[in-house]
Amino acid sequence: MSGCKGSCTFPKFLCLQHDLQAVDLSDNNFTGVFPDWLLENNTQLLHLVLLNNSLTGPLLLPIHSHLNLITLDISINFFNGHIPAEVGAYLPGLRILNMSKNALEGNIPSSIGDMKSLGSLDLSNNHLSGEIPEHLAEGCFSLRLLVLSNNSFQGQIFSANFNLKNLLSLQLDGNNFSGKIPDSLSNTSFIIGLYLSDNQLSGMIPSWLGNMSSLRDIIMPNNQLEGPIPLEFCHLKYLQVLNLAGNSISDIPSCFGPSSLKQVHLSRNRIRGELQDSFRNSSSLVTLDLGYNRINGSIPNWIGRLFNLTYLILNNNNLQGRVPIQLCQLDQLRLIDLSHNNIFGHIPPCLMTKLRDRDFHVPPSSYYELGINQTAYPLMGKEEIVEFRTKTISYFYRGKILTKMSGIDLSCNKLIGVIPPQIGNLVMIHTLNLSHNNLTESIPSRFSNLKQIESLDLSYNNLSGIIPPQLVELSFLAVFNMAYNNLSRRTLGLVAQFSTFNASSYVGNPLLCGLPLPKSCDAIESPMLLPTNSSDIGEENDFMDINIFYISFTVSYAIVLLTIVAVLFINPCWRRTWFYIVETWMTSFYYFIVDHLPKCHCI
């Protein structure tokens, strides 16, 4: 009989137990080393769960093999050192082994391949290196979940000697695996999730992936994959997530777009041509991210059929045409990024209707669960990540933050006309960027309703009139940019949140004055011209805009000219007198020029 060994904070009564079958000591902030004495004292122990404590040191094995242990979970601790080379021999009956989120290093012991009943192996978020042992890929034929994410593994993923035919989820993201996606994976007929992101994989996307009818998640961004998405992907009827962002994908088959599809992330690739009919039947689509590609043509009208679409990211392409009015049918939209394209025409006033609801509730963060026993196998799937530019910086939003984020970015296009006042009703919006377009007329005073807005950029347009003084009510603004327009009169000064903005927010508006600009309004608004108290309310309407001045001057000049012509046409006497005066002026001018020209002398 063994007692407690080493300093620890485990309850002392555990040292006296000998018939325990299940021990769950998770979330207790226990310290000390691995309690191998629990295994030695309790030979019938089936489940040992120590997750989320502060245990340190190496993983200690019992003196004798423990044949009955089914579950060992030591995740979220501070264990270090190597995984014992004999772990497979000492714990041969394990079905669930979770050592994730520790500081383990070295290679995966080949003896893990002796765990014939192992169904779930999670070694993610450690400092492990080397290659996946060939004996593991051959011997663990019961394995359903293999999670090795966020380590430093390298080399080929699997060799030809691959026997993991029952694999449901393969998570190898965040490593240094290289080479092609191995054809041996085609033997896993039941695989549901394939997570290979952030590696150095190369070559074409295998066409046999399209024959895996159970696939729900294909997540392989940030690799070196190339070529088109295989035509066989059109057969993936249950696919929910397709993430191939950050590769060199060149084409999307027009037949692709299963109705079950919820997330499409294909940004930062080399996709060219028009969208055509891709995704038109994906009625469940929540995210469509095709930013940073070479897509041309117009945004297709069928986008109005994607009633669940919440995040539409099409920035940095070669899109033309107008902002489709069909977007107004999508009342779930919360992020629209069409920036850096060649889109022209007017901004539809009916965008983002859902954001007008002050009682708008966002759904919880989405995960994709496998259809297996979640008590025996951890929750699988990956958090959705969406890139969106706000506050002049591109952020990657995920989880609860993503569900609460909302914004419109139509910058760097060729949009014309007025800013729809209806945008001022989007009370839940956080970011609005309409910069670098050809928008005209005034800034809607309704923008004072945007109480949640943090970034407002209307720079580089042809906006005129005053900056609505009501905007000082926007207390969450971190970015405010009205530069390079035709705005006039006073800035909003250094009051409330606007005291944090400098002159760069207003530069390029010659008729603007007041702090933080160096130009004082005293030279423009002399006391003789200042309105009385009774006219303060109509200040915005009394001030003459520079465009109105030009129009008034042109019209007045034309009226005077037409009046003179009409009078001369009606009265013959005045007409003869006018022509006589003109002829006299011309004759006098002629002789004046002749008399003062220098004389030429022949040589």
Side-chain angles (χ1 to χ4, degrees), residues 489-564:
R489 206 152 187 182
R490 289 183 177 272
T491 66
L492 296 179
L494 298 178
V495 297
Q497 188 68 15
F498 288 83
S499 62
T500 63
F501 305 130
N502 56 32
S504 62
S505 296
Y506 302 99
V507 71
N509 292 279
L511 299 179
L512 270 182
C513 62
L515 295 175
L517 293 173
K519 185 177 182 181
S520 173
C521 293
D522 294 339
I524 299 175
E525 299 175 349
S526 65
M528 295 294 293
L529 297 178
L530 285 175
T532 61
N533 291 337
S534 61
S535 63
D536 284 346
I537 298 176
E539 181 181 21
E540 181 176 345
N541 295 328
D542 292 342
F543 186 76
M544 180 174 289
D545 185 86
I546 189 64
N547 290 333
I548 297 176
F549 170 77
Y550 289 146
I551 295 173
S552 302
F553 180 83
T554 304
V555 172
S556 301
Y557 184 83
I559 291 175
V560 171
L561 185 61
L562 291 174
T563 301
I564 294 174

Side-chain angles (χ1 to χ4, degrees), residues 162-176:
F162 179 83
N163 196 30
L164 307 182
K165 296 181 180 180
N166 295 308
L167 203 61
L168 292 178
S169 180
L170 178 63
Q171 299 195 21
L172 305 180
D173 48 295
N175 283 286
N176 297 311

Side-chain angles (χ1 to χ4, degrees), residues 327-349:
L327 289 181
C328 296
Q329 302 171 20
L330 307 179
D331 59 4
Q332 299 297 322
L333 271 179
R334 292 208 312 275
L335 283 182
I336 298 179
D337 190 352
L338 306 181
S339 63
H340 294 272
N341 281 287
N342 297 306
I343 297 172
F344 55 82
H346 295 77
I347 301 174

